[in-house]
């Protein structure tokens, strides 16, 4: 099973600041990685797929990078609606796995 | 607009059974794999099970293998998850999730809560 480790667990930032979230895989997943955003009481939403492609309707301030075992989700300038929990997920092998999540909260 | 609506959750005793359903609309259901993903209260996301577009291939997390069965009825645009021998650690919100053409989770239902407790 591919274990995904996200860091940090919590990121405390102010609106307008840049956020960088990390996801590290226990083995290579090539570029088969996605990022999801989840707000309280809501289902997750796909942000990034294939490590660096924005999903439909996702603002350009969200970007993804990396391949192999190290990945980064960057939010260039935090908007109030971006404070949420973010998960990475791999689809390279079975079982599909998720990281444990990074919470981005307001400083 | 893609819609996925789960139903069938509720309170069940340990060792009991429950059948979840997911009714789909807004897309050609028979063309896409569908997965179940769960989230325990206050915890992260966990893949549970997957089924191919035709229903021929199925996959399970080790934690549910032998206890859960995924199936689909493409004539009725409906996905099922038959859960048996339920344990307290199966307590979670269960999401029905559509896969995109590149096999990521591009549409999610609102979830249905399953509580396993005596």
């Amino acid at each position: 099973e591919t274990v995904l480790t996200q860091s940090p667990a919590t990121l405390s930032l102010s609106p307008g600041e840049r956020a960088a979230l990390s996801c590290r895989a226990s083995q290579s997943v090539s570029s088969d990685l996605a990022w999801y955003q989840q707000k309280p009481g809501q289902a997750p939403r796909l942000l990034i797929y294939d490590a660096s492609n924005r999903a439909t309707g996702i603002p350009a301030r969200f970007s993804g990078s990396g391949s192999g075992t190290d990945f980064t989700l960057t939010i260039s300038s935090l908007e109030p609606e971006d404070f949420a929990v973010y998960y990475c997920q791999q689809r390279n092998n079975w079982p599909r796995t998720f990281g444990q999540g990074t919470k981005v909260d307001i400083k | 607009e893609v819609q996925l609506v789960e139903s069938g959750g509720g309170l069940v005793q340990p060792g009991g059974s429950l059948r979840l359903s997911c009714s789909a609309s807004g897309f050609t259901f028979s063309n896409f794999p569908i997965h179940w993903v769960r989230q325990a209260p206050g915890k992260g996301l966990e893949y549970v099970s997957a089924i191919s577009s035709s229903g021929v291939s199925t996959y399970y997390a080790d934690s549910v293998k032998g206890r859960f069965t995924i199936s689909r009825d493409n004539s009725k645009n409906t996905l099922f998850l038959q859960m048996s021998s339920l344990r307290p650690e199966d307590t979670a919100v269960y999401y029905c999730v559509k896969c995109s053409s590149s096999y990521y989770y591009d549409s999610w239902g609102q979830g249905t809560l399953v509580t396993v407790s005596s």
Side-chain angles (χ1 to χ4, degrees), chain A residues 10-14 78 82-84 103-107:
Chain A
T10 303
L11 198 51
S12 296
L13 295 169
S14 300
L78 283 163
D82 299 336
F83 292 93
K103 182 179 182 180
V104 179
D105 65 13
I106 299 176
K107 186 174 181 181

Side-chain angles (χ1 to χ4, degrees), chain B residues 48-69:
Chain B
V48 173
S49 182
I51 188 165
S52 63
S53 57
S54 66
V56 168
S57 299
T58 58
Y59 307 84
Y60 299 93
D62 285 346
S63 57
V64 307
K65 201 172 293 184
R67 301 187 299 121
F68 290 12
T69 302

